[in-house]
Amino acid sequence: MINPRPALGVAMVLTSGALFAVNGTVSKLVLRAGIDAPQLTLLRAAGAFTVLLALSLLLRPGARRLRVTVGQVPLLVAYGLTGFFLVPMLYFVAISRLPVGIGLLFEYSAPLLVALWARFGQRHPVRPRLWAGLALSLIGLACVAEVWGDPKLDGLGVLAGIGAAFFLALYYVFGARGVEGRDTLSLCTWAFGAAAVAGLLTRALTGIGDWTPLAGTSGGVPVPLLLGYVVLLGSVAPYLLVAGAMRHLPATSVGIVGMVEPVLAAAVAWVALGTTEALNAAQLTGGVLVLLGVALAETARLAPSGTPPAPAATTTAQPAPPDTVAVVPTGPPERR
């Protein structure tokens, strides 16, 4: 039994947020090199699956943790396709057409959808501030898009960001169910495996993609080195850090602390990629409103009457947005 250490949990979440934030800029550099969104999704999923499979086999209880029953297959496939394939692919499309910070803000509206699902789909009681959070976030997104003037954002990029938010919300829901029956390491291993298979099928059916950029550079850095960051420090490491943080913090706290990610992502992109990533005053204000709205929504749900709150070490967590594919897990080893 691990004694919760909130300070350590906060440090782990902040570190994972920083790694995810840098990953947005690194991913954009890979996209600029000529690798398209489906290719990058495939490379990321295949690389992360390989690393997590090795960890699953090396760490006790070894191969036994990877056992799967027939009844678990649909959930593992749905979890992998939503959170580990569709979310990152749509996010990569969004940041290829929008500033990284804006793409992440659209995706980061997913917790609002989860809160609405809890209220209307599962009929969980909520505090009135859910509606204030929803209103703040919608106003914030309107400011980010500057809807009062001529459209300044790429339409396909915006749609991709909204699509990423939708599938990220599904990923949260599927993840909450998935961690009830599996440790989070095996859950994420199989989810990345499902995403890799989906990427391979997409590649085979479309035949789209030129692999020659893998031998090139972007921003003065070799593309394979950038891809190494995307896999190791942009996926595996932050996912495991968030998983560890779940032993020390409740899920709501992890979600709120994790909101540093869009702020850091916008700052990193601004510094590394130049003025094309800069946000004006209206967009910065909108970003703050979105984050405030998400915080209100994240803390709006009430525990069902008569149900004591779960301890921090076993609270089911919402995966932080991957870039944002964030992993979901809770208590036992392996969320995001």
Side-chain angles (χ1 to χ4, degrees):
M1 183 72 175
I2 294 179
N3 291 324
R5 298 167 60 189
L8 177 59
V10 169
M12 296 173 81
V13 176
L14 291 175
T15 302
S16 69
L19 292 173
F20 275 130
V22 174
N23 190 56
T25 295
V26 174
S27 298
K28 189 150 189 172
L29 287 173
V30 175
L31 294 167
R32 285 184 176 180
I35 300 294
D36 61 30
Q39 287 174 293
L40 181 53
T41 305
L42 169 58
L43 290 168
R44 182 191 187 191
F49 171 69
T50 302
V51 174
L52 290 172
L53 179 62
L55 288 175
S56 296
L57 295 175
L58 291 173
L59 300 177
R60 282 191 279 177
R64 282 184 298 166
R65 71 157 30 93
L66 296 174
R67 291 175 180 170
V68 177
T69 65
V70 174
Q72 291 174 329
V73 171
L75 178 59
L76 290 174
V77 171
Y79 184 58
L81 290 181
T82 54
F84 295 75
F85 179 68
L86 291 171
V87 169
M89 185 167 66
L90 289 170
Y91 172 71
F92 293 147
V93 171
I95 65 173
S96 70
R97 294 171 171 271
L98 301 171
V100 171
I102 290 180
L104 196 55
L105 280 172
F106 277 107
E107 181 183 342
Y108 216 82
S109 62
L112 294 172
L113 301 179
V114 176
L116 290 173
W117 164 250
R119 170 63 182 86
F120 295 106
Q122 299 178 312
R123 301 188 181 280
H124 288 175
V126 297
R127 296 180 176 90
R129 62 171 172 261
L130 170 64
W131 312 115
L134 179 61
L136 273 179
S137 292
L138 291 176
I139 293 171
L141 289 175
C143 291
V144 168
E146 296 184 296
V147 296
W148 53 82
D150 294 331
K152 297 181 181 179
L153 298 182
D154 180 87
L156 182 58
V158 171
L159 288 176
I162 294 173
F166 173 77
F167 286 111
L168 184 60
L170 289 179
Y171 160 66
Y172 289 154
V173 174
F174 291 142
R177 291 183 56 194
V179 296
E180 293 174 357
R182 303 192 66 87
D183 70 273
T184 49
L185 178 56
S186 69
L187 178 65
C188 291
T189 300
W190 284 124
F192 269 120
V197 171
L200 288 170
L201 290 175
T202 301
R203 165 73 177 167
L205 293 174
T206 63
I208 297 175
D210 177 11
W211 298 104
T212 56
L214 286 173
T217 62
S218 183
V221 182
V223 172
L225 187 59
L226 295 172
L227 287 171
Y229 182 97
V230 170
V231 171
L232 294 176
L233 297 179
S235 300
V236 175
Y239 285 168
L240 296 180
L241 280 169
V242 173
M246 296 301 170
R247 296 175 177 269
H248 304 284
L249 293 172
T252 299
S253 297
V254 171
I256 293 174
V257 175
M259 283 172 19
V260 300
E261 183 186 338
V263 178
L264 292 175
V268 170
W270 191 348
V271 171
L273 301 177
T275 56
T276 57
E277 296 289 317
L279 307 182
N280 60 35
Q283 291 172 319
L284 289 171
T285 301
V288 171
L289 292 177
V290 171
L291 297 181
L292 287 174
V294 170
L296 288 174
E298 282 284 290
T299 58
R301 279 174 282 178
L302 293 165
S305 56
T307 302
T314 57
T315 300
T316 298
Q318 289 183 358
D323 37 330
T324 156
V325 156
V327 172
V328 175
T330 67
E334 309 230 95
R335 148 190 166 192
R336 225 174 85 86

